[in-house]
Amino acid sequence: MTSVDKPTTAPPIPDQDARTDKAVTEAALFEAFGGVRGMVETVLPGLLFVTIYTINKNLQGSAIAALGVSLLLVAVRLIRRDTVKHAFSGVFGVAFGVVFAMMTGNAKDFYLPGMLYTLGLALAYIVTTLAGVPLIGLILGPVFKENLSWRTRNPGRKKAYAKASWAWGLILLAKCAILFPLYWWADTTQLGWVLVALKIPPFLLAVYLTWVFLAKAPPPIDVFAEMEAEEKAEEERKAAAARAADGPDAS
């Protein structure tokens, strides 16, 4: 075999490319949903509330402790200059819960805003999917630098987002089907401990199914890279036109 016949570069390895795509998808999901730290910030205020209330049945003390730890988590993120969206969402959720519980005097109402939010989110996933713009695609599109290109230019990816949104919607509806009857029939501590137990497992299941669907989907279209390439090509065309215009004068 001559030097011309020898390949100069190794051919791409499909399995390796697939592993890379899956790793990128996993990292993007981890970033979008807050990772382990985001889960801790989601669970900790409710866990603290139900723990204190189980011990002393003091609504005010439990509520203040939950709100205090939420504010502390935000302060830590601000000091470290980290992303605060997950911690802030936790603060708002806890604050609404505290207001509801204090207004009604019913400790179970601490959990009601979060339960209503979960129900609304479940319906949003389902309705947006039926409308052809699955919510999970709207959430993850900017993370994957594809924005809304999946809607018209990447049908395989749109199908994966639809499947993932159905998964999120149905999982959250199942969670609501457990919690709302308990809100009416169970006491505060029973509802609180069940709610804490249901914080992470349904979330992890939904994230895992999203990862499975997207890992099998076509890769995202990087619209940012396309825009940069288009801008660079436009600059080169302008430069070439300027050189052509200056040519006769230079001669």
Side-chain angles (χ1 to χ4, degrees):
M1 179 181 290
T2 65
S3 60
V4 176
D5 296 327
K6 295 180 181 178
T8 56
T9 57
I13 303 174
D15 290 343
Q16 186 176 6
D17 292 341
R19 287 195 298 269
T20 300
D21 291 339
K22 289 181 178 180
V24 170
T25 300
E26 183 179 350
L29 289 175
F30 199 80
E31 174 188 346
F33 295 113
V36 174
R37 187 173 178 182
M39 288 188 287
V40 171
E41 291 171 344
T42 300
V43 172
L44 191 57
L47 177 61
L48 187 61
F49 177 89
V50 71
T51 300
I52 295 175
Y53 191 83
T54 300
I55 295 172
N56 60 21
K57 298 295 186 294
N58 186 327
L59 170 58
Q60 185 175 1
S62 303
I64 291 174
L67 184 58
V69 75
S70 297
L71 293 172
L72 178 61
L73 292 172
V74 171
V76 170
R77 280 191 175 266
L78 289 173
I79 292 172
R80 294 170 59 90
R81 297 183 180 179
D82 293 335
T83 303
V84 297
K85 60 180 179 180
H86 299 288
F88 266 130
S89 64
V91 167
F92 288 128
V94 172
F96 278 117
V98 169
V99 170
F100 268 63
M102 291 297 186
M103 287 178 60
T104 64
N106 185 353
K108 283 196 292 186
D109 287 340
F110 173 80
Y111 303 110
L112 187 57
M115 292 166 58
L116 292 173
Y117 172 78
T118 300
L119 178 59
L121 188 59
L123 296 176
Y125 277 116
I126 293 173
V127 171
T128 55
T129 304
L130 292 173
V133 282
L135 180 58
I136 199 71
L138 300 178
I139 295 172
L140 294 181
V143 176
F144 286 109
K145 299 180 180 180
E146 60 182 333
N147 284 352
L148 296 178
S149 63
W150 50 267
R151 287 196 62 199
T152 56
R153 300 173 56 192
N154 205 338
R157 198 153 181 90
K158 180 179 179 180
K159 185 177 180 180
Y161 280 138
K163 290 180 179 179
S165 288
W166 275 115
W168 277 91
L170 294 176
I171 288 170
L172 292 179
L173 279 181
K175 181 178 176 179
C176 291
I178 296 172
L179 293 177
F180 276 96
L182 288 176
Y183 173 80
W184 296 108
W185 302 330
D187 61 29
T188 302
T189 56
Q190 291 171 334
L191 173 62
W193 286 113
V194 171
L195 197 147
V196 168
L198 289 179
K199 277 284 187 180
I200 300 302
F203 171 80
L204 290 180
L205 176 60
V207 171
Y208 172 73
L209 291 175
T210 302
W211 176 81
V212 170
F213 295 139
L214 291 182
K216 296 179 180 179
I221 298 171
D222 191 337
V223 295
F224 295 104
E226 287 182 344
M227 288 188 291
E228 290 176 358
E230 186 176 344
E231 289 175 359
K232 184 177 181 181
E234 180 65 22
E235 291 175 358
E236 291 176 352
R237 285 194 295 267
K238 289 180 179 179
R243 287 195 298 270
D246 292 341
D249 295 336
S251 61

